[in-house]
Structure formats: C-alpha cells, structure tokens
C-alpha cells in the first residue's frame, strides 16, 4: 500500500498520440499544499499546465484514491471530474508512476517522495 503522507510533489505528462507527431502537455504541482484525506486513502493536489501562459489561471484539481490494491484518478482535467479512472502503478524508491492509457492518449502522473 502506498502511504500518501510521504508524497511531497506531483507532475503529470499527457501525450496525445497523432499519426504524424505526438503532442505532449506538461503539468506541475502548484504551491497549493497536498491534502491527504483523514482516512489516508486519497490525496488531492493542484496542477498547472507549464506550457500555457504564465499568467493563466488554468489549474487542474486532481485526486488519487486507493481502494484495496487499486488506484483511481479523478480530475477536473477530464470532462466528468467525478469519474474515477483506473490507474496502473509502478513504484520505485524515489517515486510512484501512475499511468492512465486511453485510445490515442496516455497520461503519466509522477508522485515524488520525501
């Protein structure tokens, strides 16, 4: 089980797979604090598109939830922000890589430890 209290930072890479060239969007965690739910089963944070205008107010609220050994993502990035999307997980000593793959797109969400 992943301990959400140990995370210090998140970043996300979203890749749209096109026939002639892939489009990559990079998101970084804002200065807003990480919020871990009282039961320890979810973490909420804000992401900002680092490729957009620096004055842009485009922020994405993101929640990663744990249910048994499964993980889910809810995000205002998606049309239905309350829809839980299942994540694949890879854990290393320094980070966790959550992956969400769809048709012609893939999202990599990296969570970094203390």
């Amino acid at each position: 089980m992943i301990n959400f209290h140990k995370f210090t930072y998140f970043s996300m890479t979203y890749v749209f797979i096109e026939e002639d060239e892939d489009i990559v969007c990079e998101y970084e965690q804002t200065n807003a604090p990480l919020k871990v739910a009282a039961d320890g089963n979810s973490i909420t944070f804000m992401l900002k598109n680092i490729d957009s205008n620096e004055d842009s107010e485009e922020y994405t609220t993101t929640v990663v939830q744990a249910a048994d050994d499964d993980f889910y993502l809810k995000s205002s990035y998606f049309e239905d922000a309350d829809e839980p999307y299942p994540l694949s997980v890879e854990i290393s000593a320094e980070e966790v890589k959550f992956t969400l793959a769809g048709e012609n797109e893939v999202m990599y969400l990296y969570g970094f430890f203390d």
Side-chain angles (χ1 to χ4, degrees), residues 3-69:
N3 182 348
F4 287 125
H5 291 282
K6 292 191 175 196
F7 284 102
T8 57
Y9 184 75
F10 282 88
S11 70
M12 180 175 79
T13 302
Y14 211 99
V15 181
F16 297 95
I17 302 164
E18 303 287 333
E19 284 186 23
D20 50 348
E21 181 182 357
D22 292 349
I23 300 168
V24 177
C25 299
E26 299 284 340
Y27 294 80
E28 297 290 335
Q29 182 181 328
T30 67
N31 290 332
L34 298 167
K35 295 178 185 172
V36 178
D39 64 6
N41 288 330
S42 68
I43 188 167
T44 303
F45 49 93
M46 301 288 289
L47 295 171
K48 183 177 188 319
N49 185 337
I50 61 172
D51 298 323
S52 68
N53 181 341
E54 210 163 291
D55 296 329
S56 171
E57 295 297 320
E58 270 188 60
Y59 295 100
T60 302
T61 302
T62 305
V63 178
V64 175
Q65 297 176 309
D68 298 321
D69 290 331

